[in-house]
Amino acid sequence: MLIDTTLREGAQLFGAYFNLSTRKKIAAGLAEVGIDEIELGWIGQDNLGTLAEYIKDISKDTYLSVWTPCREADIMKASKLPIDRVNIGVPVSDLHIEERLGLDRNGLLHRLSSAIRTAKAFGIEYVSVGMEDVSRADPDFALTVAAHAKNCGASRIRLSDSLGQLTPKSMEKLIETFRNHVKIDTAVHCHDDFGMATANAVTALECGADYADVSVLGIGERSGIAATEELAAYLALRCGKKRYSTQKIKALCSMVALEAGVVVPRTKAVVGEDIFACESGLHTHALSKSPELFEPYQPESVGISRKLAVGGKSGKAAVKSALKDCGVENDPKDITALTMAVRQLSSRLKRPLTRSEFIKLSSGEHLS
């Protein structure tokens, strides 16, 4: 299951500011994609209740949650919102416990127990405990925190690789350790500081984690976290999870990119404009016959169109195929010369040829 935190983690992106209208559009888009749980933001943000009511009206099977620090006053505020779950953040590495909170380990456990019991007393049935900086924590103490959270009434722990330290192999070990020692719903929050967030999140789910945090385009603090579009597409197109509507993903990503001021690379996995564009001779010819040879899924499944073009990398077979697609009759003996002309013009322009350029070139027109 996916927990999208674009409206909490994503909103922490440097320079990103989402007003209520934008937050509604993002949340609605996430519901359309089929995201299981939407983290609507953090306690202290404006209009959380309004946002929650809006989503409840348009989606009946999406869990709504908010993030709160491990403070009773904030948890009481969360209990007044029309949400399903509360995510309580608590650091578990000694560095954070001592330097950030000014506590020792026993003090942290006491504060956590008070927070969870307050949440339960105020009617919050599903409490999630986000164990921050778990990848730098003492493993035995991290397990102690998880067991303590469960004993106090928590329903889920969320293991946060806060600085993106883990690899898929170490993530596998982490999940297996917690799953073997504490019987509780387990989520992961994988940061992308070394480019492994999506891989780590997928590994966690494959190893038995129940949830993975994601955000649209992976936006968040620093280099962000695992990307919503990548996890949803992988689960839908590779694992057969029918809940996720991947055709809706590109539109959602485009909207978030615009609102957050983020440029989407043309080769971005799942939603890049050119991920199904090809001019390489062998690949272009093969794609014209059997697309599955070089495509992991159909472009239409993620709202993208295939683009085939001839250019400096094209061979005679690709040129012949392009002539056929354009409805151009050409003497086969001219194919070699035309192929050379295509390559030369493409190299001069430093790009593949447009359809009109190719048709003109095939007719013998000189293009400067």
Side-chain angles (χ1 to χ4, degrees):
M1 295 175 71
L2 299 181
I3 306 169
D4 187 280
T5 181
T6 306
L7 298 173
R8 198 272 300 174
E9 174 73 46
Q12 294 173 243
L13 172 68
F14 180 79
Y17 295 90
F18 301 143
N19 59 28
L20 179 58
S21 175
T22 298
R23 289 154 67 193
K24 284 182 176 180
K25 288 191 293 183
I26 293 173
L30 293 170
E32 279 193 333
V33 169
I35 298 303
D36 308 88
E37 178 178 336
I38 301 174
E39 191 171 42
L40 296 174
W42 60 86
I43 291 299
Q45 277 184 298
D46 294 333
N47 300 306
L48 284 175
T50 301
L51 182 60
E53 293 286 6
Y54 171 76
I55 298 303
K56 282 187 174 292
D57 284 342
I58 64 174
S59 178
K60 305 302 181 185
D61 65 344
T62 303
Y63 293 111
L64 303 182
S65 61
V66 295
W67 183 92
T68 174
C70 193
R71 290 197 295 259
E72 293 179 35
D74 289 313
I75 292 167
M76 286 187 278
K77 290 178 183 177
S79 71
K80 298 176 182 178
L81 296 171
I83 56 174
D84 308 295
R85 299 171 174 182
V86 166
N87 300 313
I88 300 174
V90 57
V92 293
S93 67
D94 290 326
L95 181 64
H96 275 263
I97 294 169
E98 295 167 6
E99 297 294 329
R100 183 171 136 205
L101 299 183
L103 298 173
D104 59 15
R105 292 180 175 183
N106 286 332
L108 179 83
L109 293 174
H110 176 74
R111 180 178 290 190
L112 179 59
S113 60
S114 296
I116 296 172
R117 285 166 183 155
T118 296
K120 304 295 281 189
F122 277 80
I124 301 173
E125 295 184 4
Y126 195 102
V127 176
S128 175
V129 174
M131 297 172 55
E132 300 166 8
D133 205 26
V134 71
S135 49
R136 295 193 297 175
D138 173 69
D140 290 335
F141 180 65
L143 286 171
T144 296
V145 173
H148 185 72
K150 179 187 177 183
N151 292 337
C152 291
S155 299
R156 179 175 70 200
I157 56 171
R158 186 156 66 169
L159 306 176
S160 180
D161 182 18
S162 301
L163 296 183
Q165 306 285 293
L166 298 179
T167 65
K169 186 174 182 179
S170 54
M171 175 60 78
E172 178 181 5
K173 181 178 179 181
L174 181 74
I175 295 302
E176 288 178 350
T177 297
F178 276 84
R179 296 289 290 178
N180 289 336
H181 288 83
V182 186
K183 303 304 179 185
I184 188 172
D185 282 357
T186 303
V188 293
H189 182 90
C190 304
H191 273 265
D192 202 39
D193 296 87
F194 292 96
M196 286 183 277
T198 293
N200 284 339
V202 168
T203 298
L205 292 174
E206 289 181 339
C207 293
D210 303 285
Y211 301 84
D213 280 13
V214 291
S215 73
V216 176
L217 297 173
I219 63 172
E221 289 277 5
R222 303 184 312 280
S223 52
I225 65 171
T228 302
E229 65 277 8
E230 294 171 5
L231 264 293
Y234 181 82
L235 292 173
L237 302 176
R238 286 284 293 156
C239 303
K241 303 294 185 182
K242 299 185 182 300
R243 177 181 176 89
Y244 305 113
S245 300
T246 54
Q247 297 90 343
K248 310 284 188 179
I249 288 177
K250 182 169 173 54
L252 174 61
C253 288
S254 297
M255 183 263 290
V256 170
L258 179 64
E259 297 290 349
V262 173
V263 176
V264 180
R266 64 189 180 92
T267 55
K268 173 71 173 67
V270 181
V271 295
E273 285 291 340
D274 286 348
I275 60 173
F276 289 100
C278 184
E279 63 164 306
S280 177
L282 174 65
H283 288 196
T284 300
H285 183 57
L287 285 170
S288 68
K289 291 187 172 182
S290 186
E292 65 270 17
L293 289 173
F294 289 105
E295 291 178 348
Y297 45 83
Q298 295 180 347
E300 297 77 14
S301 66
V302 290
I304 294 176
S305 299
R306 184 182 297 111
K307 293 192 292 186
L308 302 180
V310 291
K313 308 179 187 77
S314 299
K316 287 187 288 186
V319 171
K320 284 183 180 180
S321 179
L323 286 169
K324 182 178 180 181
D325 290 342
C326 293
V328 176
E329 294 295 335
N330 200 284
D331 190 333
K333 69 177 183 293
D334 296 328
I335 289 296
T336 299
L338 178 56
T339 301
M340 291 303 298
V342 166
R343 290 176 176 177
Q344 289 170 1
L345 180 57
S346 176
S347 297
R348 192 161 67 247
L349 297 174
K350 297 183 178 180
R351 59 169 172 77
L353 303 189
T354 66
R355 182 183 178 89
S356 62
E357 287 170 342
F358 176 68
I359 292 174
K360 289 178 181 178
L361 196 65
S362 68
S363 66
E365 185 174 338
H366 176 72
L367 299 177
S368 57

